[in-house]
Coordinates of all heavy atoms in Angstrom, one line a residue:
N263 N 31.4 12.0 1.0 CA 30.4 11.9 0.1 C 30.6 10.8 -0.9 O 31.6 10.4 -1.3 CB 30.1 13.2 -0.8 CG 31.0 13.5 -2.0 OD1 32.2 13.7 -1.5 ND2 30.7 13.3 -3.1
G264 N 29.5 10.2 -1.3 CA 29.5 9.0 -2.3 C 28.2 8.7 -2.9 O 27.2 9.2 -2.4
S265 N 28.2 7.7 -3.9 CA 26.9 7.4 -4.6 C 26.7 6.0 -4.2 O 25.8 5.3 -4.8 CB 27.2 7.5 -6.0 OG 28.2 6.8 -6.5
N266 N 27.3 5.3 -3.2 CA 27.0 4.0 -2.9 C 25.8 3.9 -1.9 O 25.9 4.0 -0.7 CB 28.4 3.4 -2.1 CG 28.2 2.0 -1.9 OD1 27.3 1.3 -2.2 ND2 29.0 1.3 -1.1
I267 N 24.6 3.9 -2.4 CA 23.4 4.0 -1.8 C 22.5 2.9 -2.3 O 22.3 2.7 -3.6 CB 22.7 5.4 -2.1 CG1 23.5 6.6 -1.8 CG2 21.3 5.4 -1.3 CD1 23.0 7.9 -2.3
T268 N 22.1 2.1 -1.3 CA 21.2 1.0 -1.7 C 20.0 0.9 -0.6 O 20.3 0.7 0.6 CB 22.1 -0.3 -1.6 OG1 23.2 -0.3 -2.5 CG2 21.1 -1.5 -1.9
G269 N 18.9 1.1 -1.1 CA 17.8 1.1 -0.2 C 17.9 2.1 0.9 O 18.1 3.3 0.6
N270 N 18.0 1.5 2.2 CA 18.0 2.5 3.3 C 19.5 2.6 3.9 O 19.6 2.9 5.0 CB 17.0 2.0 4.4 CG 17.3 0.8 5.0 OD1 18.1 -0.1 4.3 ND2 16.9 0.4 6.1
T271 N 20.4 2.3 2.9 CA 21.8 2.2 3.5 C 22.8 3.1 2.6 O 22.4 3.4 1.4 CB 22.4 0.8 3.6 OG1 22.6 0.3 2.3 CG2 21.6 -0.1 4.4
A272 N 23.7 3.6 3.2 CA 24.7 4.6 2.4 C 26.0 4.3 2.9 O 26.2 4.2 4.2 CB 24.3 5.9 2.3
S273 N 27.0 4.2 2.1 CA 28.5 4.1 2.6 C 29.3 5.1 1.9 O 29.1 5.2 0.7 CB 28.9 2.6 2.2 OG 30.3 2.6 2.6
V274 N 30.2 5.9 2.7 CA 31.0 6.9 2.0 C 32.4 6.7 2.6 O 32.7 6.3 3.7 CB 30.4 8.3 2.4 CG1 29.0 8.6 1.8 CG2 30.4 8.6 4.0
D275 N 33.3 7.0 1.8 CA 34.8 7.2 2.2 C 34.9 8.4 2.8 O 34.4 9.5 2.5 CB 35.6 7.2 0.9 CG 35.7 5.7 0.2 OD1 35.5 4.7 0.9 OD2 35.9 5.7 -0.9
V276 N 35.5 8.5 4.0 CA 35.7 9.6 4.9 C 37.0 10.2 4.8 O 38.1 9.5 4.8 CB 35.4 9.1 6.4 CG1 35.6 10.3 7.4 CG2 34.1 8.6 6.5
V277 N 37.2 11.6 4.7 CA 38.3 12.3 4.5 C 38.5 13.3 5.8 O 37.7 13.9 6.2 CB 38.2 13.1 3.3 CG1 39.4 14.2 3.1 CG2 38.1 12.2 2.0
R278 N 39.8 13.3 6.3 CA 40.2 14.2 7.3 C 41.0 15.2 6.6 O 41.8 15.1 5.7 CB 41.1 13.5 8.4 CG 41.6 14.4 9.5 CD 42.3 13.5 10.5 NE 43.3 12.5 10.0 CZ 43.6 11.6 10.8 NH1 43.2 11.3 12.1 NH2 44.5 10.8 10.4
T279 N 40.7 16.6 6.9 CA 41.3 17.8 6.4 C 42.1 18.4 7.4 O 41.8 18.6 8.5 CB 40.2 18.7 5.7 OG1 39.4 19.1 6.7 CG2 39.5 18.0 4.6
N280 N 43.2 19.1 6.9 CA 43.9 20.0 7.8 C 45.0 20.7 6.9 O 45.0 20.6 5.7 CB 44.8 19.2 8.8 CG 45.6 18.0 8.3 OD1 46.5 18.3 7.3 ND2 45.5 16.8 8.8
G281 N 45.8 21.6 7.6 CA 46.9 22.3 6.8 C 46.6 23.7 6.5 O 47.5 24.5 6.1
A282 N 45.3 24.1 6.3 CA 45.1 25.5 5.9 C 44.9 26.3 7.2 O 44.8 26.1 8.2 CB 43.9 25.4 5.2
N283 N 44.8 27.7 6.9 CA 44.7 28.8 7.9 C 43.2 29.3 7.9 O 42.5 29.0 7.0 CB 45.7 29.9 7.7 CG 47.0 29.5 8.0 OD1 47.3 28.7 8.9 ND2 48.0 29.7 7.0
F284 N 43.0 30.1 8.8 CA 41.6 30.6 9.1 C 41.4 31.9 8.4 O 42.2 32.8 8.2 CB 41.4 30.7 10.6 CG 40.0 31.2 11.1 CD1 38.8 30.3 11.0 CD2 39.9 32.6 11.4 CE1 37.6 30.8 11.3 CE2 38.6 32.9 11.8 CZ 37.5 32.0 11.7
G285 N 40.1 32.2 8.0 CA 39.7 33.4 7.6 C 40.3 33.9 6.3 O 40.4 33.1 5.3
T286 N 40.8 35.2 6.3 CA 41.4 35.8 5.1 C 42.8 35.0 4.7 O 43.0 35.3 3.6 CB 41.6 37.3 5.3 OG1 42.4 37.6 6.4 CG2 40.2 37.8 5.4
D287 N 43.3 34.3 5.7 CA 44.6 33.8 5.4 C 44.3 32.3 4.8 O 45.3 31.5 4.5 CB 45.3 33.4 6.8 CG 45.8 34.7 7.2 OD1 46.0 35.8 6.4 OD2 45.9 34.9 8.5
F288 N 43.0 31.9 4.5 CA 42.8 30.7 4.0 C 43.2 30.5 2.5 O 43.0 31.5 1.7 CB 41.3 30.3 3.9 CG 40.9 29.0 3.3 CD1 41.1 27.8 4.0 CD2 40.4 29.0 1.9 CE1 40.7 26.6 3.3 CE2 40.1 27.8 1.4 CZ 40.1 26.6 2.1
D289 N 44.0 29.5 2.2 CA 44.4 29.1 0.9 C 44.2 27.8 0.5 O 44.5 26.7 1.1 CB 45.9 29.4 0.9 CG 46.6 29.1 -0.5 OD1 45.9 28.6 -1.4 OD2 47.8 29.2 -0.6
P290 N 43.1 27.5 -0.5 CA 42.7 26.2 -0.7 C 43.9 25.3 -1.3 O 43.7 24.1 -1.1 CB 41.7 26.5 -1.9 CG 42.0 27.9 -2.4 CD 42.5 28.6 -1.2
D291 N 44.9 25.9 -1.7 CA 46.0 25.0 -2.1 C 46.8 24.3 -1.0 O 47.6 23.3 -1.3 CB 47.0 25.8 -3.1 CG 46.3 26.2 -4.3 OD1 45.5 25.5 -4.8 OD2 46.9 27.3 -4.9
T292 N 46.6 24.9 0.2 CA 47.3 24.2 1.4 C 46.5 23.2 2.1 O 46.9 22.6 3.0 CB 47.6 25.4 2.4 OG1 46.4 26.0 2.9 CG2 48.5 26.4 1.7
V293 N 45.3 23.0 1.6 CA 44.3 22.0 2.4 C 44.9 20.7 2.0 O 45.2 20.2 1.0 CB 42.9 22.0 1.8 CG1 42.0 20.9 2.5 CG2 42.3 23.6 2.3
Q294 N 45.1 19.9 3.0 CA 45.5 18.3 2.9 C 44.3 17.4 3.2 O 43.7 17.6 4.2 CB 46.7 18.2 3.9 CG 48.0 19.2 3.7 CD 49.0 18.8 4.7 OE1 48.9 17.8 5.5 NE2 49.9 19.7 4.7
R295 N 44.1 16.6 2.4 CA 43.1 15.7 2.5 C 43.6 14.2 2.7 O 44.4 13.7 1.8 CB 42.1 15.8 1.3 CG 41.4 17.1 1.1 CD 40.6 17.3 -0.1 NE 39.9 18.6 -0.3 CZ 40.5 19.5 -0.6 NH1 41.7 19.7 -1.1 NH2 39.7 20.7 -0.7
E296 N 43.1 13.5 3.7 CA 43.5 12.1 3.9 C 42.3 11.3 4.0 O 41.6 11.5 4.9 CB 44.4 12.1 5.2 CG 44.9 10.8 5.6 CD 45.4 10.7 7.0 OE1 45.4 11.8 7.6 OE2 45.9 9.6 7.5
T297 N 42.2 10.2 3.3 CA 41.2 9.2 3.6 C 41.5 8.3 4.7 O 42.6 7.8 4.7 CB 41.0 8.4 2.3 OG1 40.7 9.2 1.1 CG2 39.9 7.3 2.5
V298 N 40.5 8.4 5.7 CA 40.8 7.7 6.9 C 39.9 6.5 7.2 O 40.0 5.9 8.3 CB 40.7 8.8 8.1 CG1 41.9 9.7 8.0 CG2 39.4 9.3 8.2
G299 N 38.9 6.3 6.3 CA 38.1 5.0 6.5 C 36.9 5.1 5.8 O 36.7 6.0 4.9
T300 N 35.8 4.4 6.1 CA 34.6 4.3 5.5 C 33.5 4.4 6.7 O 33.6 3.7 7.7 CB 34.4 3.0 4.8 OG1 35.5 2.9 3.8 CG2 33.0 3.0 4.2
M301 N 32.5 5.2 6.5 CA 31.4 5.3 7.3 C 30.2 4.9 6.8 O 29.8 5.1 5.7 CB 31.3 6.8 7.8 CG 30.5 6.9 9.1 SD 30.8 8.6 9.9 CE 32.4 8.3 10.5
N302 N 29.5 4.0 7.5 CA 28.3 3.1 6.8 C 27.1 3.6 7.7 O 27.1 3.5 8.9 CB 28.5 1.6 7.0 CG 29.8 1.3 6.5 OD1 29.9 1.4 5.1 ND2 30.7 0.7 7.0
F303 N 26.0 4.0 7.0 CA 24.8 4.4 7.6 C 23.6 3.4 7.2 O 23.4 3.2 6.1 CB 24.4 6.0 7.0 CG 25.4 7.0 7.5 CD1 26.6 7.1 6.8 CD2 25.1 7.8 8.6 CE1 27.4 8.0 7.2 CE2 26.0 8.8 9.1 CZ 27.2 9.0 8.2
T304 N 22.9 3.1 8.2 CA 21.7 2.3 8.1 C 20.5 2.9 8.8 O 20.6 3.1 10.0 CB 21.9 0.9 8.5 OG1 23.0 0.3 7.8 CG2 20.6 0.0 8.1
F305 N 19.4 3.3 8.0 CA 18.3 4.0 8.6 C 17.1 2.9 8.8 O 16.8 2.3 7.8 CB 17.9 5.1 7.9 CG 18.9 6.1 7.6 CD1 19.8 6.2 6.5 CD2 19.0 7.1 8.6 CE1 20.8 7.1 6.4 CE2 20.1 8.1 8.5 CZ 20.9 8.1 7.4
A306 N 16.7 2.8 10.1 CA 15.6 2.0 10.4 C 14.3 2.7 10.2 O 13.3 2.1 9.7 CB 15.7 1.4 11.9
T307 N 14.4 3.9 10.4 CA 13.1 5.0 10.2 C 13.7 6.2 9.8 O 14.9 6.4 9.6 CB 12.3 5.1 11.5 OG1 13.0 5.9 12.3 CG2 11.9 3.7 12.1
C308 N 12.9 7.1 9.5 CA 13.1 8.5 9.1 C 13.9 9.2 10.3 O 14.4 10.3 10.2 CB 12.0 9.3 8.6 SG 11.4 8.9 6.9
D309 N 13.7 8.7 11.5 CA 14.2 9.4 12.7 C 15.2 8.5 13.5 O 15.7 9.0 14.5 CB 13.1 9.8 13.6 CG 12.1 10.7 13.0 OD1 12.6 11.7 12.4 OD2 10.9 10.4 13.0
S310 N 15.7 7.3 13.0 CA 16.6 6.5 13.8 C 17.4 5.7 12.8 O 16.9 5.4 11.7 CB 15.9 5.6 14.7 OG 15.0 4.7 14.0
G311 N 18.6 5.4 13.2 CA 19.5 4.5 12.4 C 20.7 4.1 13.1 O 20.9 4.3 14.3
N312 N 21.8 3.7 12.4 CA 23.0 3.3 12.9 C 24.1 3.7 12.1 O 23.9 3.8 10.9 CB 23.0 1.7 13.2 CG 24.4 1.2 13.7 OD1 25.2 1.0 12.9 ND2 24.4 1.1 15.0
V313 N 25.2 4.2 12.7 CA 26.5 4.5 12.0 C 27.6 3.6 12.5 O 27.8 3.3 13.6 CB 26.8 5.9 12.2 CG1 28.1 6.2 11.5 CG2 25.7 6.9 11.9
S314 N 28.3 3.0 11.5 CA 29.5 2.3 11.8 C 30.7 2.8 11.1 O 30.6 3.2 9.9 CB 29.4 0.7 11.4 OG 29.2 0.6 10.2
F315 N 31.8 2.8 11.7 CA 33.1 3.5 11.0 C 34.1 2.2 11.0 O 34.3 1.5 12.1 CB 33.5 4.6 11.9 CG 34.9 5.2 11.4 CD1 35.0 5.8 10.2 CD2 36.0 5.1 12.1 CE1 36.1 6.3 9.7 CE2 37.2 5.5 11.7 CZ 37.3 6.2 10.6
V316 N 34.7 2.1 9.8 CA 35.8 1.1 9.6 C 36.9 2.1 9.2 O 37.1 2.6 8.2 CB 35.5 0.2 8.4 CG1 36.6 -0.8 8.2 CG2 34.2 -0.5 8.7
P317 N 38.1 2.0 10.1 CA 39.3 3.0 9.9 C 40.1 2.4 8.9 O 40.1 1.2 8.7 CB 39.7 3.1 11.2 CG 39.5 1.8 11.9 CD 38.0 1.4 11.5
A318 N 40.9 3.3 8.1 CA 42.0 2.8 7.3 C 43.2 2.5 8.3 O 43.2 2.9 9.4 CB 42.3 3.9 6.4
S319 N 44.0 1.6 7.8 CA 45.1 1.1 8.7 C 46.0 2.0 9.2 O 46.6 1.9 10.5 CB 45.8 -0.1 8.0 OG 46.4 0.5 6.8
N320 N 46.2 3.2 8.5 CA 47.2 4.1 8.9 C 46.5 5.5 9.4 O 47.1 6.4 9.5 CB 48.2 4.4 7.9 CG 47.4 5.0 6.6 OD1 46.1 4.9 6.5 ND2 48.1 5.7 5.7
S321 N 45.2 5.4 9.8 CA 44.5 6.5 10.1 C 44.7 6.9 11.6 O 44.6 8.1 12.0 CB 43.0 6.4 10.1 OG 42.5 5.4 10.9
G322 N 45.1 6.0 12.6 CA 45.1 6.2 13.8 C 43.9 6.4 14.6 O 43.8 6.7 15.8
L323 N 42.8 6.1 14.0 CA 41.4 6.2 14.4 C 40.9 4.7 14.8 O 41.5 3.7 14.2 CB 40.4 6.8 13.5 CG 40.8 8.3 13.1 CD1 39.9 8.8 12.2 CD2 40.8 9.2 14.5
T324 N 39.9 4.6 15.6 CA 39.5 3.2 15.9 C 37.9 3.1 15.5 O 37.2 4.0 15.3 CB 39.4 3.2 17.4 OG1 38.7 4.2 18.0 CG2 40.8 3.2 18.0
A325 N 37.7 1.9 15.2 CA 36.3 1.5 14.7 C 35.4 1.7 15.8 O 35.7 1.5 17.0 CB 36.4 -0.1 14.3
F326 N 34.2 2.0 15.3 CA 33.1 2.0 16.3 C 31.7 1.9 15.6 O 31.6 2.0 14.3 CB 33.0 3.5 17.0 CG 32.6 4.7 16.1 CD1 31.2 5.0 15.9 CD2 33.6 5.4 15.5 CE1 31.0 6.0 15.0 CE2 33.2 6.5 14.7 CZ 31.9 6.8 14.6
S327 N 30.6 1.7 16.3 CA 29.3 1.6 15.8 C 28.4 2.2 16.8 O 28.5 1.9 18.0 CB 28.9 0.0 15.6 OG 27.6 -0.1 15.1

Side-chain angles (χ1 to χ4, degrees):
N263 72 286
S265 58
N266 188 8
I267 304 168
T268 303
N270 64 339
T271 66
S273 179
V274 295
D275 291 334
V276 175
V277 173
R278 175 169 55 194
T279 61
N280 55 50
N283 292 316
F284 180 75
T286 57
D287 293 331
F288 176 78
D289 180 356
D291 292 334
T292 63
V293 176
Q294 300 174 15
R295 298 174 176 84
E296 174 192 7
T297 300
V298 295
T300 302
M301 203 162 282
N302 305 296
F303 295 81
T304 301
F305 297 95
T307 71
C308 287
D309 298 310
S310 64
N312 178 270
V313 178
S314 64
F315 175 66
V316 180
S319 58
N320 59 349
S321 67
L323 301 176
T324 58
F326 71 84
S327 176

